[in-house]
Amino acid sequence: MTEKMTGAQALVRALEHVGVETVFGIPGGAILPAYDPLYDSTKVRHVLVRHEQGAGHAAEGYAQATGRVGVCMATSGPGATNLVTAIADAYMDSVPIVAITGQVATPLIGTDAFQEADISGITMPITKHNFLVTDADDIPRTIAEAFHIAATGRPGPVLVDIAKDALTATTTFSWPPVMQLPGYRPVTRPHSKQIREAARLMTEAQRPVLYVGGGVHKARASAELLELAELTGIPVVTTLMARGTFPDSHPQHMGMPGMHGSVSAVGALQRSDLLIALGTRFDDRVTGQLASFAPHAKVIHADIDPAEISKNRHADVPIVGDCREVIGDLITAVRAEQADGRKGDYTDWWRVLNGYKETYPLGYEEFADGSLAPQYVIERLSALVGPEAIYTAGVGQHQMWTAQFIKYEHPGTFINSGGAGTMGFSVPAAMGAKMGCPDKVVWAIDGDGCFQMTNQELATCAIEGVPIKVAVINNGNLGMVRQWQTLFYDERYSNTDLQQVKRIPDFVKLAEAYGCVGLRCERPEDVDATIAKAMEINDVPVVIDFVVHKDAMVWPMVAAGTSNDDIKYARDMAPNWEGGE
Ligand SMILES: Cc1ncc(C[n+]2csc(CCOP(=O)(O)OP(=O)(O)O)c2C)c(N)n1
Ligand SMILES: [Mg+2]
């Protein structure tokens, strides 16, 4: 069945066919033809955001909360370049989004036409793939390909830039189109020989660790992970991108590794003789100084992207495949080992690890002057809001405390900007998550610096009926940068004080200006009641301005470029790895 229509109509029809329900965007000249048929679509809801960066992060939040492809749309030139940060963010964290941009008409491309930017050139290194479409006939196929590429294999952002004349030209629409992706065949089934070898190493190891990254949840493999962990008795660490993939309450959970990871997780990796790295990429924030990372460990590295294997750390057993398949096959192979009477014995290892856990639990300092400790706020949020909610974070100290002090029990309940570290991620990502999962309670835990980058999306939330809750951890500073200045720049606080004049802006008034409820909390004794009040409001967004002490620091910490062995659990306090007093 074919039908005559414009390229723009074909675009909207194709979006309907691939199952798009929500698009975040802002119109403008070059993309305007697409907005006309969008006006009539009963299947695709377009959410008019206030800044294209918000559209991009909302698409990311939507994608991560639902497991489906998130979609954002912008016009040419500055509309498209405003998406760049979010596209880069999605690339770093392997988030499946499709960004659709209008481009100037084909004859104008390359002439410095009004609002022309070479967005496919600009995003070449930060997209999984991108397309410049100049022929209306190519639109449906390109959309089908873009969604397929974004969602399969290692997920990632795909850009479709469509010239205005392709949107206005007439074409014939038919569905499904035949995709033309020669050479794109992501390997999902792991090699059985490698799996057997991995199972053998796991059985023989004395100090193995399951080093779990964001890829495990992306493969929807948390249940399999739990089974493998319990079958083997091997300890688990969950990276920033994997928080919740394994329940925090599980006795085999060692915590988060990395620069601000727990001593138990970092110590487990450093002392390990076998890392079973699943859907993770040996990021420098996890490894610290690479040369001294887990120096005694053999490495089994499973990832869907072959380019990750042995990129930073040599893999003794490389496994290319989808984590769900990999873990499923590992379970079978370990069972076979156990049936033959070979089972790992990690008793001594657990004695060491439990010692780390007991001696170096996460903690924080409270302030004698009665001011609020930010960690306390987040601890109380965790206790009162609970593990069923979705939490997003911005970037900085509050992000690390949100990773440390919220007790995650379910996969996908912590959405943050891990690889890129994009300030401003939290509010629009929460909006996207809430639109994807309207029945979930969604809390954006944000910094006062980050919040000032993208809080304009509160207007979108208020108008579109997206009642997110925002906890601004307001330390009046670019806190994480200030922490580095405290530790490494002799307390010379160059350009990190955001509140040289108090309460500019006043976040309560700002929230009210956006049609949200604004609350303020400045004392520990008011924290629970303020959170409870926010929990009662479900018709409009709520913003709580938690005014916290500016000198709180994130601990533990591995200073950038140093060895994980030199982790400090408080200022100048190093763990005694050999145990004893
Ligand atoms: C877009 C962007 N600009 C700059 C940075 C560098 N940076 C990292 S954390 C941070 C401070 C964030 O301040 P705030 O949102 O108040 O969070 P806090 O650390 O105080 O909790 C800055 C400036 C960044 N990560 N992203
Ligand atoms: Mg701050």
Side-chain angles (χ1 to χ4, degrees):
M1 264 259 298
T2 59
E3 212 181 311
K4 276 226 169 314
M5 60 180 73
T6 64
Q9 287 169 324
L11 169 64
V12 174
R13 191 69 74 84
L15 293 176
E16 292 175 351
H17 275 288
V18 294
V20 173
E21 287 170 0
T22 311
V23 174
F24 302 91
I26 301 186
I31 194 71
L32 206 46
Y35 273 78
D36 193 64
L38 205 49
Y39 199 42
D40 295 327
S41 177
T42 51
K43 296 190 178 127
V44 181
R45 173 180 180 188
H46 180 275
V47 177
L48 177 61
V49 298
R50 296 302 184 264
H51 189 301
E52 288 87 353
Q53 184 184 354
H57 293 322
E60 290 185 90
Y62 180 95
Q64 298 201 65
T66 62
R68 303 170 56 197
V69 177
V71 189
C72 53
M73 199 181 264
T75 196
S76 64
T81 56
N82 272 352
L83 286 177
V84 168
T85 297
I87 293 172
D89 191 275
Y91 188 67
M92 292 292 272
D93 286 344
S94 307
V95 181
I97 64 169
V98 169
I100 299 166
T101 49
Q103 182 52 278
V104 301
T106 315
L108 295 174
I109 291 178
T111 68
D112 295 339
F114 178 65
Q115 291 193 330
E116 181 183 4
D118 176 9
I119 195 63
S120 58
I122 289 168
T123 60
M124 194 77 81
I126 52 164
T127 46
K128 184 172 172 187
H129 195 63
N130 73 29
F131 300 89
L132 170 60
V133 183
T134 55
D135 185 338
D137 295 346
D138 294 337
I139 289 174
R141 178 178 48 78
T142 307
I143 291 297
E145 290 170 358
F147 278 76
H148 178 70
I149 293 170
T152 52
R154 179 180 186 164
V158 178
L159 174 101
V160 183
D161 192 30
I162 312 178
K164 188 170 187 178
D165 52 326
L167 291 170
T168 52
T170 305
T171 183
T172 48
F173 181 86
S174 69
W175 196 268
V178 181
M179 289 195 274
Q180 297 171 8
L181 299 171
Y184 181 71
R185 262 173 265 103
V187 173
T188 54
R189 289 286 313 151
H191 201 290
S192 58
K193 185 168 149 268
Q194 305 295 73
I195 293 284
R196 280 198 304 276
E197 177 64 6
R200 191 182 65 77
L201 287 183
M202 285 161 75
T203 306
E204 287 172 2
Q206 281 162 13
R207 298 186 305 281
V209 179
L210 284 157
Y211 160 24
V212 172
V216 174
H217 171 56
K218 290 201 167 72
R220 296 296 181 271
S222 311
E224 288 79 359
L225 174 67
L226 184 64
E227 191 178 340
L228 179 66
E230 291 187 339
L231 176 69
T232 57
I234 296 176
V236 179
V237 301
T238 51
T239 68
L240 184 67
M241 295 307 293
R243 302 289 292 111
T245 302
F246 191 76
D248 279 359
S249 60
H250 197 288
Q252 281 170 254
H253 190 242
M254 303 304 298
M256 177 174 80
M259 179 176 273
H260 293 297
S262 60
V263 171
S264 53
V266 172
L269 291 177
Q270 288 307 98
R271 258 134 221 94
S272 170
D273 67 353
L274 179 68
L275 299 182
I276 304 118
L278 302 170
T280 194
R281 58 185 177 80
F282 294 81
D283 181 85
D284 56 88
R285 284 297 188 264
V286 167
T287 64
Q289 183 195 58
L290 193 56
S292 58
F293 174 64
H296 312 295
K298 284 193 175 172
V299 172
I300 299 166
H301 190 179
D303 202 284
I304 194 144
D305 182 355
E308 283 302 340
I309 303 212
S310 295
K311 182 182 83 177
N312 292 339
R313 170 71 179 252
H314 172 73
D316 300 283
V317 183
I319 305 176
V320 178
D322 176 87
C323 269
R324 190 149 81 173
E325 309 252 6
V326 171
I327 299 172
D329 286 2
L330 281 174
I331 290 169
T332 311
V334 168
R335 277 197 206 292
E337 290 271 316
Q338 291 182 354
D340 287 345
R342 287 188 297 274
K343 192 169 188 312
D345 178 4
Y346 317 127
T347 325
D348 290 344
W349 184 217
W350 272 111
R351 201 167 299 129
V352 173
L353 296 179
N354 285 328
Y356 292 162
K357 273 209 219 184
E358 276 159 33
T359 318
Y360 306 107
L362 279 178
Y364 59 89
E365 243 184 303
E366 302 200 62
F367 296 95
D369 63 358
S371 61
L372 206 45
Q375 300 95 328
Y376 176 74
V377 172
I378 295 171
E379 213 171 51
R380 295 311 300 158
L381 273 169
S382 181
L384 297 172
V385 174
E388 304 306 319
I390 293 176
Y391 299 86
T392 70
V395 168
Q397 292 182 312
H398 66 281
Q399 173 193 28
M400 292 299 116
W401 291 319
T402 302
Q404 293 174 334
F405 289 97
I406 300 280
K407 298 294 160 230
Y408 299 99
E409 294 293 311
H410 307 298
T413 50
F414 179 43
I415 298 175
N416 83 132
S417 169
T422 305
M423 286 175 71
F425 180 82
S426 182
V427 166
M431 173 172 78
K434 181 74 180 165
M435 294 201 70
C437 301
D439 297 334
K440 288 251 176 191
V441 173
V442 180
W443 276 87
I445 299 181
D446 214 355
D448 50 322
C450 292
F451 185 60
Q452 292 186 65
M453 290 199 178
T454 51
N455 64 46
Q456 75 283 341
E457 299 315 333
L458 286 175
T460 316
C461 288
I463 289 169
E464 299 280 341
V466 188
I468 61 166
K469 301 179 199 302
V470 183
V472 181
I473 305 300
N474 183 1
N475 52 12
N477 274 271
L478 299 169
M480 186 57 98
V481 183
R482 181 183 160 88
Q483 174 165 346
W484 286 42
Q485 290 172 332
T486 302
L487 296 173
F488 312 121
Y489 290 87
D490 218 7
E491 302 183 13
R492 286 165 50 81
Y493 297 118
S494 172
N495 293 281
T496 43
D497 186 352
L498 296 167
Q499 294 254 320
Q500 280 159 330
V501 179
K502 275 264 167 288
R503 298 227 165 113
I504 297 182
D506 181 322
F507 292 132
V508 172
K509 287 187 187 160
L510 185 77
E512 284 165 1
Y514 279 131
C516 308
V517 172
L519 306 171
R520 178 168 291 122
C521 177
E522 305 189 66
R523 298 182 313 167
E525 55 270 33
D526 298 334
V527 169
D528 283 17
T530 315
I531 295 170
K533 195 160 176 194
M535 294 290 283
E536 280 164 20
I537 301 164
N538 289 309
D539 50 346
V540 289
V542 189
V543 176
I544 309 178
D545 180 20
F546 284 107
V547 181
V548 300
H549 201 290
K550 68 178 189 306
D551 287 326
M553 285 207 251
V554 184
W555 299 107
M557 181 171 187
V558 179
T562 68
S563 170
N564 279 347
D565 288 329
D566 298 325
I567 190 171
K568 304 286 186 298
Y569 60 86
R571 200 164 183 180
D572 301 325
M573 302 292 274
N576 172 4
W577 294 116
E578 305 319 319
E581 294 308 308

